[in-house]
Amino acid sequence: MSDTKSGDDNTLSVTPKKTLTLKRPGMEQGTVRQNFSHGRTKQVVVETKKRKFSMPGDKPEPVAAPVFTPKPAVVAAPVVVPEAPKAPQPPAPVERSGMVLNELSRSEMEARRRALEGSKVREVEDRQRAAEDAKRRAEDEERRKRERDESARRQAEEEARLQTEAESRRRAEEEARRRAPLAAELATVDDEEGAKPKRAGAGVPVRRPVTPEVARPAKPTKSEEDRRRGKLTLNSALSDEDARARSLSSMRRRQEKFKRAMHNEPREKVMREVILPETITIQELAQRMSERAVDLVKFFMKQGQILKPGDVIDADTAELVATEFGHTVRRVAESDIEEGLFNIADNAEDLVSRPPVVTIMGHVDHGKTSLLDAIRNANVVSGEAGGITQHIGAYQVEKNGHKITFIDTPGHAAFTAMRARGAQATDIAILVVAADDSVMPQTIESISHAKAAGVPIIVAINKIDKHDADPQKVRSELLRHEVFVESMGGEVLDVEVSATKGTNLDKLLEAILLQAEILDLKANPDRTAEGVVIEAQLDKGRGPVATVLVQTGTLMPGDILVAGNEWGRVRALVNDRGVQIKEAPPAMPVEVLGLQGTPQAGDRFAVVNNEARAREITEYRQRLAREKAVAKHAGQRGSLEQMMSQLQTSGLKEFPLVIKGDVQGSIEAINAALDKLGTDEVRARIVHAGAGAITESDVSLAETSGAAIIGFNVRANVQARAAAVAAGIEIRYYSIIYNLVDDVKAALSGLLSPERRETFIGNAQILEIFDITKVGKIAGCRVTEGKVERGAGVRLIRDNVVIHEGTLKTLKRFKDEVSEVPGGQECGMAFQNYEDMRVGDVIECFRVEMVTRTL
């Protein structure tokens, strides 16, 4: 215990005994430098006591004010604690405002604890870092030691090799010195033989004297140090020593190459079966043979051909190369990817009966669609422009529990391809002939298509309700085209019907079912579907839509379909009445949605297993189509000289067109009709033709190529119309094909150059030649035939040979200028820029007219 007296009042405070320290508890000590005038400074010790945070319930303690203690300028004076008179005791706590601060705050204890833990963590990290550095230094030392050993080994090998080369060089020089006397002796013998005279014409060859070779002194060899240095200096370049030795790097490369050759044993050659397509690049062939492309290029160079790895060779050449390299070859064609797509054989027990497919054919306006409407109880004619069918329509009807599929084809002359396509996809052809019109050109064409397709014909003699109907005349005229009906002793069924009155329609359907029963039509519905595309179009809301006829198998939504150059997954199937169905059995026509693009009408379709095969087949077909188009254009285009000479000689004029139609069949018919309009002078050049509405890109294409735009049953969208107005391009809309053909024909006629037509006017014979001053020669003539007109063309004929052709400069009757001189009268004539006229010549007068031509 110790007594402490306060400075303010005489109170005693009793404190517990503590250890004697030089630092006051709860104090932080620091130094501050003070600056005074005249450059004097002083360091002051500052002690700060932290505030002690009290717990709830404790009395608050005041914050200790900093105590400034003067400190010498150089060394701070230590705090001296006075020694107690008896036993050593802890210093008295500092009193502030009557309160005693005798213990450290919790925050200070926590700070000290954290500092102690941090120092321990740092010590551990320092020890780990020191261990890693020591390990790394040991590894570096080991690596340097290995490098030194390797360098020493290489140096020893190099010295041994150099010593061997020096020894071989020394032996070679000794051998040269040993052979020098023998060479001199031989040279002397040759000189003696050459000095002897030779007989002329003896044919003995004369040997030339040989200069004796003097043995040269051995050149001083370089020291090992100079040889290893291997650098070209000025002294060594000007000296008489040997040329510069090989550098160390060159020697090292040579040695490493030798080592590689020693260690790399020849691999055993692997013989492969190389699959060769129709064409292949050299690089691809080398990869398939596991050979280097450089070796193949060397092989071709030996054969006298300079080729690059990227060059394409044919299958025959590739087979020769592969055989030469010891490989076996298996030839394949790109078309092999289509194997197994069509014409899959079916088992006889899997076949079941299917409905017949009937195509209605005939001349335009003979009542084909009206007959089909009467059978279906529908009105298709009202939906067709001009009352003529311009699309292939496919429908299915039911008669006595039996289904019949009908395909309606157009009868217009432009739709030849459609009729041919309908005949190929059918089982029975119904030939509709009007009783009042008899056999017409498209009737004959339909007969030809049916016979070419090998399908039986049923003749439907329509319009028997008309007063001028003559069915017997139809039967008689069909005989001339080898169509023998039953009533005339043949085998072809014929039925007299009336589409408007509905007469004998039942008999026609019975005849169809009878013919189908004779044909015994069967198909396998339990396999992948195959068929033919009847029509295709680009619908604005539904995308590409293809009307297909399933010929075998069953088509269902979700199937992956390949049709021509397009493929897709079937999203929906729609029948002829606009109803979605779940499946399409054989002989059923449906609309297919989900294709990537619009296929061509007439393309065959088939269902494949996966998308990869579908994509592979369509890519092959598209590439084939592009190559055909390029070859066709290349053949038409030829070289620039050929094209220019053709334009100069033929003067061919082209009428460029951009055609957009509703369906592919219409586009096909328009193209065929416009091709027929072309002549040697003018033709229609179709820049682009496709199914779908007229778009802005079509207008851009027309603007670039200077073409006109024709829309057949389609319209242009708002953007396309605005672009056409801005570019000044005309868009013509048509719904009837023969109106379109007539307008294009008129436009092509306008491109024809007018025809030069010459009309004879009269003849005149020269009786006398007059030479008039300032006028020239004037021929005195008598008009012998017709008349002579001023301003008309004239020819000067001498001995029935045309000498000059031009115009008249003057035509006078006596002294007056006249416009014409009738026959039997005399006149004076002078030619423009021509005076070589003689008595007895004949002047022929004619008029030239330019007549507009038409196709």
Side-chain angles (χ1 to χ4, degrees):
M1 304 293 289
S2 62
D3 297 340
T4 304
K5 182 181 287 188
S6 175
D8 296 336
D9 49 3
N10 297 325
T11 58
L12 292 175
S13 60
V14 181
T15 58
K17 186 177 181 180
K18 285 189 177 182
T19 308
L20 181 63
T21 59
L22 296 177
K23 183 178 179 182
R24 298 181 184 178
M27 293 287 183
E28 287 188 0
Q29 207 173 50
T31 60
V32 176
R33 182 182 295 275
Q34 290 183 335
N35 296 322
F36 299 94
S37 61
H38 305 291
R40 292 184 295 108
T41 61
K42 181 189 294 185
Q43 283 190 346
V44 181
V45 177
V46 179
E47 294 180 349
T48 306
K49 177 171 173 50
K50 291 185 178 179
R51 178 181 177 185
K52 181 180 178 182
F53 293 91
S54 59
M55 297 296 291
D58 295 343
K59 295 182 179 180
E61 297 180 358
V63 181
V67 179
F68 293 93
T69 306
K71 188 175 183 181
V74 180
V75 182
V79 180
V80 180
V81 180
E83 188 178 353
K86 294 181 180 179
Q89 295 178 354
V94 180
E95 274 190 13
R96 296 291 171 135
S97 303
M99 299 187 65
V100 181
L101 305 177
N102 53 4
E103 59 182 10
L104 295 175
S105 64
R106 290 187 178 87
S107 61
E108 290 175 346
M109 294 294 291
E110 184 67 23
R112 290 185 180 183
R113 185 181 62 77
R114 285 198 302 270
L116 183 59
E117 292 176 354
S119 63
K120 291 180 180 179
V121 172
R122 281 192 297 274
E123 287 177 2
V124 173
E125 292 178 351
D126 292 341
R127 283 196 296 271
Q128 292 178 353
R129 194 176 299 109
E132 292 176 356
D133 292 342
K135 182 180 179 181
R136 187 163 51 252
R137 283 195 297 272
E139 291 176 353
D140 293 343
E141 184 65 26
E142 182 68 22
R143 180 175 53 79
R144 283 194 291 270
K145 182 179 179 181
R146 286 198 303 269
E147 290 178 353
R148 286 195 298 271
D149 295 343
E150 181 70 17
S151 178
R153 185 182 62 78
R154 289 181 180 177
Q155 185 175 355
E157 291 178 355
E158 189 67 24
E159 289 176 355
R161 190 188 62 79
L162 293 175
Q163 186 176 358
T164 305
E165 290 181 356
E167 183 67 22
S168 63
R169 190 182 298 107
R170 185 181 60 78
R171 290 175 183 173
E173 291 173 355
E174 290 178 356
E175 183 70 19
R177 284 195 298 271
R178 187 176 59 81
R179 293 182 179 180
L182 180 60
E185 184 178 354
L186 290 174
T188 305
V189 172
D190 290 341
D191 290 342
E192 291 176 357
E193 291 179 355
K196 294 179 181 180
K198 303 295 181 181
R199 289 184 302 169
V204 179
V206 179
R207 299 183 63 180
R208 296 180 180 178
V210 179
T211 305
E213 183 179 351
V214 181
R216 297 179 182 176
K219 296 181 180 179
T221 58
K222 291 184 179 182
S223 63
E224 291 298 326
E225 183 179 358
D226 292 337
R227 189 179 303 281
R228 288 184 56 210
R229 184 170 65 248
K231 294 182 179 179
L232 181 64
T233 62
L234 186 61
N235 294 330
S236 61
L238 297 176
S239 65
D240 293 336
E241 296 178 353
D242 287 338
R244 175 168 61 128
R246 298 176 61 141
S247 65
L248 288 177
S249 299
S250 176
M251 294 176 182
R252 190 176 297 115
R253 287 194 298 269
R254 181 179 178 183
Q255 187 176 0
E256 290 177 356
K257 183 178 180 181
F258 178 74
K259 286 182 180 180
R260 286 197 300 269
M262 292 294 293
H263 291 303
N264 290 343
E265 298 179 356
R267 293 181 300 172
E268 183 180 356
K269 189 174 180 63
V270 179
M271 300 302 174
R272 295 181 177 271
E273 184 186 22
V274 183
I275 299 175
L276 295 181
E278 296 173 356
T279 58
I280 189 172
T281 63
I282 295 177
Q283 182 71 40
E284 178 68 21
L285 178 61
Q287 291 177 358
R288 296 189 181 189
M289 295 193 304
S290 296
E291 303 283 352
R292 297 191 308 162
V294 178
D295 296 338
L296 270 68
V297 172
K298 289 180 181 177
F299 174 78
F300 281 110
M301 290 179 69
K302 290 179 182 178
Q303 305 299 323
Q305 294 182 340
I306 307 299
L307 297 177
K308 303 186 297 296
D311 289 342
V312 179
I313 57 177
D314 58 1
D316 295 334
T317 307
E319 183 176 359
L320 290 175
V321 174
T323 307
E324 188 70 22
F325 278 82
H327 301 282
T328 58
V329 174
R330 181 161 63 91
R331 297 277 291 269
V332 296
E334 283 188 302
S335 57
D336 292 345
I337 61 175
E338 294 186 352
E339 286 186 359
L341 191 63
F342 299 110
N343 302 326
I344 302 174
D346 294 317
N347 297 325
E349 59 269 14
D350 297 333
L351 301 178
V352 298
S353 298
R354 65 169 177 84
V357 179
V358 180
T359 299
I360 299 181
M361 308 173 72
H363 192 72
V364 63
D365 284 338
H366 275 203
K368 298 180 296 299
T369 307
S370 300
L371 183 63
L372 184 58
D373 287 348
I375 295 173
R376 295 178 61 236
N377 297 322
N379 188 8
V380 179
V381 175
S382 61
E384 291 286 355
I388 66 169
T389 301
Q390 301 179 104
H391 310 86
I392 284 185
Y395 314 98
Q396 198 169 47
V397 300
E398 190 168 345
K399 169 67 175 176
N400 299 331
H402 298 282
K403 291 184 178 180
I404 304 174
T405 300
F406 285 97
I407 298 177
D408 185 15
T409 63
H412 194 271
F415 296 97
T416 303
M418 283 193 185
R419 283 190 296 278
R421 190 159 57 245
Q424 291 170 358
T426 190
D427 302 317
I428 302 170
I430 294 182
L431 184 65
V432 179
V433 186
D436 60 338
D437 212 4
S438 193
V439 177
M440 299 298 286
Q442 270 66 60
T443 310
I444 302 170
E445 186 183 304
S446 300
I447 295 171
S448 302
H449 289 321
K451 288 184 176 180
V455 296
I457 299 175
I458 298 176
V459 177
I461 304 175
N462 195 19
K463 302 184 181 180
I464 61 170
D465 55 320
K466 289 195 172 182
H467 65 281
D468 55 349
D470 189 358
Q472 196 61 32
K473 179 184 176 183
V474 173
R475 296 186 181 95
S476 301
E477 291 192 1
L478 286 175
L479 290 177
R480 289 188 289 176
H481 303 287
E482 299 181 357
V483 178
F484 305 104
V485 297
E486 284 185 337
S487 58
M488 305 288 288
E491 297 180 355
V492 177
L493 300 176
D494 65 312
V495 183
E496 297 180 4
V497 297
S498 172
T500 56
K501 304 293 184 182
T503 309
N504 292 336
L505 295 183
D506 292 340
K507 290 185 179 180
L508 178 62
L509 293 177
E510 288 174 1
I512 294 171
L513 293 176
L514 177 62
Q515 188 69 53
E517 189 175 350
I518 295 172
L519 294 175
D520 191 20
L521 304 171
K522 290 185 177 181
N524 181 13
D526 301 325
R527 50 157 287 184
T528 56
E530 289 182 22
V532 64
V533 178
I534 297 176
E535 195 57 271
Q537 60 182 331
L538 187 64
D539 193 282
K540 185 176 181 181
R542 300 185 296 172
V545 178
T547 303
V548 302
L549 176 66
V550 182
Q551 293 176 323
T552 183
T554 302
L555 186 63
M556 292 181 288
D559 288 344
I560 299 171
L561 200 70
V562 174
N565 296 345
E566 305 294 340
W567 72 278
R569 188 180 293 272
V570 178
R571 288 194 287 112
L573 298 174
V574 182
N575 64 7
D576 58 325
R577 301 188 182 273
V579 180
Q580 285 199 18
I581 56 177
K582 296 297 183 183
E583 61 179 18
M588 183 174 188
V590 289
E591 287 186 344
V592 176
L593 281 67
L595 293 175
Q596 302 286 334
T598 54
Q600 297 293 323
D603 288 339
R604 296 183 66 186
F605 77 86
V607 174
V608 296
N609 297 329
N610 49 42
E611 292 185 4
R613 179 142 194 261
R615 194 177 292 110
E616 187 179 9
I617 293 172
T618 53
E619 286 176 357
Y620 162 70
R621 292 179 174 178
Q622 289 171 2
R623 184 170 64 254
L624 209 62
R626 284 195 301 269
E627 290 173 357
K628 286 183 179 178
V630 169
K632 180 181 178 182
H633 291 316
Q636 291 177 350
R637 184 170 59 249
S639 64
L640 183 61
E641 292 80 5
Q642 292 174 352
M643 184 172 63
M644 294 303 294
S645 62
Q646 182 182 3
L647 287 175
Q648 290 174 359
T649 56
S650 65
L652 181 65
K653 297 180 181 179
E654 293 184 334
F655 183 41
L657 293 171
V658 174
I659 300 174
K660 297 300 290 288
D662 52 348
V663 294
Q664 287 286 351
S666 301
I667 299 297
E668 186 181 67
I670 293 170
N671 290 349
L674 296 184
D675 282 342
K676 293 179 181 178
L677 295 179
T679 64
D680 294 338
E681 295 184 38
V682 294
R683 70 181 180 93
R685 180 170 64 91
I686 299 174
V687 179
H688 172 67
I694 300 172
T695 61
E696 197 171 357
S697 61
D698 297 327
V699 177
S700 302
L701 179 60
E703 182 180 3
T704 305
S705 57
I709 300 177
I710 291 178
F712 186 76
N713 285 334
V714 295
R715 292 293 182 268
N717 56 29
V718 179
Q719 295 84 358
R721 286 198 297 271
V725 171
I729 296 174
E730 183 183 10
I731 301 177
R732 302 290 292 271
Y733 300 109
Y734 297 93
S735 57
I736 301 175
I737 191 168
Y738 50 74
N739 290 343
L740 185 153
V741 174
D742 291 344
D743 285 1
V744 175
K745 185 176 180 180
L748 291 176
S749 300
L751 294 177
L752 289 172
S753 56
E755 182 181 359
R756 185 177 183 270
R757 185 175 299 173
E758 184 179 299
T759 305
F760 174 76
I761 300 177
N763 281 340
Q765 187 173 10
I766 299 177
L767 304 178
E768 192 69 39
I769 303 295
F770 303 99
D771 195 352
I772 300 175
T773 309
K774 296 182 182 182
V775 177
K777 289 185 178 181
I778 294 180
C781 309
R782 178 185 290 117
V783 180
T784 59
E785 184 180 356
K787 61 180 179 179
V788 176
E789 294 180 354
R790 186 174 60 183
V794 289
R795 294 189 185 96
L796 181 64
I797 300 174
R798 183 178 301 158
D799 296 333
N800 294 324
V801 178
V802 177
I803 303 300
H804 173 70
E805 181 175 343
T807 58
L808 288 177
K809 181 172 65 174
T810 179
L811 177 63
K812 289 189 176 183
R813 172 85 172 141
F814 300 106
K815 294 183 180 181
D816 301 327
E817 285 281 350
V818 293
S819 59
E820 64 178 35
V821 177
Q825 295 187 1
E826 296 181 352
C827 61
M829 285 187 280
F831 289 95
Q832 189 82 29
N833 300 326
Y834 189 78
E835 293 185 349
D836 185 15
M837 297 173 288
R838 298 179 186 177
V839 176
D841 292 346
V842 176
I843 298 176
E844 180 185 82
C845 186
F846 60 89
R847 184 186 303 114
V848 176
E849 298 175 350
M850 304 304 289
V851 181
T852 304
R853 299 164 58 200
T854 58
L855 287 175

